Amino acid sequence: MAGKKALSCTAGAVLGLSLLLSGCMAGSQSDKASGDKAKSNMEEKVVIYSPHGKDILQEFEKKFEKKNPNVDVEWLDIGSQEVLDRVRSEKKNPQADVWWGAPSVMFNQAKGEGLLEPYKPTYAKSLEDQFHDKDWAWSGTSQTPEVIMYNSKKLSKDEAPKDWDDLLDPKWKDKIIIRYPLASGTMNTIFSSMIYRDYKDSKDPKKGYEWLQKLDANTKEYSANPEIMYSKVAKGEGTVSVWDMPDVVMLKEEKNYPFDFVIPESGTPVLTEGIALVKNAKHPKAAKAFYEFVNSKEANKILAEKHYRIPTRTDIDNLPKWIEETKIKPMDIDWKVFESKSNGWMEYWDNNIKSKEKEQKE
């Protein structure tokens, strides 16, 4: 394997990178045919921006290396909002080829700013309309329900909050630890959903802001990254958080964290996580190969079974029981409203609601 490299940045500090080798996993006949076509005359590398974390990225690194040892893949593991900010800042000189992982609302924002290159994948027929952009600027990879997470050693399921409004009960004061929302697509969506509940009828975010103000009063800390949040909830420094269900299941089963979750009774936002090609990318052929690779049937099975992702493809069989048996009540959300309003809502939260002393710095 090649030695470590650093990815050149056009904005912010240089961040550490992991280096992997890229290629196409053997798949179904259509997936394999696509891979064979995509890898012909591929460039020498492909650059991935992703919030999926090192566990997923490192596993796919090994599989990718085995198939295509002549293509280097540099990946940068940062939050989805940070990816959008970087892709936006690098528009005139793109550094990434593929953006793997973010809520669809963020991809729609990027599409509106001319940051994405449309690509209709070979598995397009297996995606329902809600799981891809109408112009194929992005396509969905997984569905992500948001839940209330709690420390199962400190709280029983009966004691844990049952719904969003329960988090405002004074008994949770200094018991809630939250991942800093502005850097996280997951938290951005949860917070925006709390505003949207009333906004959809009133067209006024006031009640939503009041809700977030009360939550802030109960929040002990806004952690700089997910790992800090996980650690502090696991240690009991806080007993409650809000996060996405697949990650909670993974942390519980694979890493033995004392975590469990409650699906909010009134309904929850269900994100479509996706993937997209960066416009004017330097390595477009390798980028398409990677795009197909991480969405092959085999990759979807791995992501479901080992990394707790719920596929958007309809042709993935024999999924884990926790996926097949999970009952989710999705919130009724107009995602176009999110696209136009969420940035302003979150900016207001950051400037007018957040207790600055609770923001933890890396």
Side-chain angles (χ1 to χ4, degrees):
M1 179 176 176
K4 296 290 183 182
K5 289 183 182 179
L7 183 66
S8 62
C9 304
T10 59
V14 177
L15 299 175
L17 296 172
S18 296
L19 183 68
L20 56 145
L21 297 173
S22 154
C24 245
M25 183 187 303
S28 64
Q29 290 302 314
S30 62
D31 289 338
K32 187 176 187 302
S34 169
D36 290 343
K37 181 180 179 180
K39 71 182 183 180
S40 61
N41 300 316
M42 277 196 291
E43 301 84 2
E44 76 284 359
K45 72 173 182 178
V46 61
V47 180
I48 314 301
Y49 286 177
S50 174
H52 282 325
K54 66 180 182 180
D55 289 346
I56 286 178
L57 293 172
Q58 286 177 346
E59 174 154 3
F60 278 85
E61 166 185 353
K62 293 176 183 178
K63 296 181 183 302
F64 221 42
E65 286 178 355
K66 187 175 181 179
K67 294 295 178 181
N68 289 284
N70 296 321
V71 181
D72 289 339
V73 179
E74 297 177 352
W75 52 262
L76 182 60
D77 176 24
I78 55 177
S80 52
Q81 181 63 50
E82 293 170 292
V83 175
L84 175 57
D85 291 341
R86 287 179 67 94
V87 172
R88 181 184 288 137
S89 70
E90 296 167 355
K91 182 176 182 179
K92 293 183 178 179
N93 183 26
Q95 300 300 303
D97 301 302
V98 180
W99 177 0
W100 182 27
S104 59
V105 64
M106 288 190 173
F107 285 119
N108 285 334
Q109 290 174 355
K111 175 189 176 183
E113 296 177 31
L115 302 176
L116 306 180
E117 184 68 35
Y119 177 64
K120 187 174 182 178
T122 58
Y123 53 85
K125 290 183 179 180
S126 72
L127 295 175
E128 297 178 357
D129 288 347
Q130 67 266 33
F131 294 136
H132 66 83
D133 174 63
K134 65 182 180 64
D135 300 315
W136 295 98
W138 58 267
S139 66
T141 56
S142 63
Q143 306 171 61
T144 309
E146 313 302 347
V147 297
I148 297 169
M149 182 180 87
Y150 63 93
N151 182 315
S152 55
K153 286 187 176 180
K154 300 292 184 180
L155 298 173
S156 68
K157 204 168 191 77
D158 288 339
E159 293 171 325
K162 301 296 186 295
D163 212 340
W164 301 112
D165 291 345
D166 294 343
L167 296 169
L168 307 186
D169 190 312
K171 71 180 180 181
W172 301 116
K173 184 173 177 60
D174 293 332
K175 303 290 187 181
I176 299 173
I177 295 180
I178 290 175
R179 195 305 196 211
Y180 180 59
L182 265 64
S184 166
T186 295
M187 288 308 310
N188 192 307
T189 298
I190 292 173
F191 273 29
S192 293
S193 296
M194 296 303 99
I195 296 173
Y196 180 79
R197 291 187 303 171
D198 182 73
Y199 181 88
K200 69 179 186 295
D201 297 318
S202 68
K203 307 306 178 190
D204 187 338
K206 180 180 178 181
K207 286 189 177 180
Y209 291 154
E210 291 173 353
W211 193 96
L212 292 176
Q213 185 76 62
K214 293 175 183 177
L215 182 67
D216 180 81
N218 281 353
T219 299
K220 182 176 183 179
E221 174 183 298
Y222 298 105
S223 299
N225 61 56
E227 286 70 27
I228 294 172
M229 182 267 283
Y230 302 154
S231 177
K232 295 198 172 186
V233 175
K235 292 175 182 176
E237 294 181 30
T239 56
V240 176
S241 188
V242 291
W243 200 238
D244 68 82
M245 185 182 75
D247 278 357
V248 178
V249 177
M250 180 272 293
L251 292 163
K252 175 184 177 181
E253 296 192 3
E254 295 293 326
K255 298 181 179 292
N256 297 313
Y257 278 82
F259 293 166
D260 209 337
F261 66 88
V262 173
I263 300 172
E265 295 172 347
S266 63
T268 190
V270 179
L271 293 176
T272 297
E273 291 278 334
I275 189 169
L277 302 179
V278 176
K279 189 170 185 178
N280 297 324
K282 294 180 172 64
H283 314 104
K285 293 180 181 178
K288 290 176 182 177
F290 186 87
Y291 190 118
E292 295 280 345
F293 163 72
V294 296
N295 291 292
S296 66
K297 286 185 176 182
E298 286 70 22
N300 269 272
K301 289 280 285 185
I302 291 168
L303 289 165
E305 293 171 357
K306 299 187 69 174
H307 299 287
Y308 304 88
R309 296 303 194 261
I310 305 173
T312 53
R313 285 183 65 159
T314 58
D315 57 353
I316 312 300
D317 300 321
N318 301 314
L319 291 169
K321 285 186 177 180
W322 74 269
I323 295 178
E324 295 182 345
E325 296 175 356
T326 296
K327 304 299 181 185
I328 301 291
K329 181 181 178 181
M331 287 180 66
D332 184 14
I333 293 174
D334 183 342
W335 294 104
K336 291 183 178 180
V337 173
F338 267 48
E339 292 168 37
S340 63
K341 298 293 184 181
S342 60
N343 284 347
W345 289 345
M346 296 310 300
E347 182 178 353
Y348 184 91
W349 173 85
D350 195 46
N351 293 329
N352 300 283
I353 297 175
K354 176 195 69 182
S355 296
K356 291 181 172 55
E357 68 276 9
K358 298 180 180 181
E359 182 182 349
Q360 191 258 355
K361 305 289 187 182
E362 287 191 272

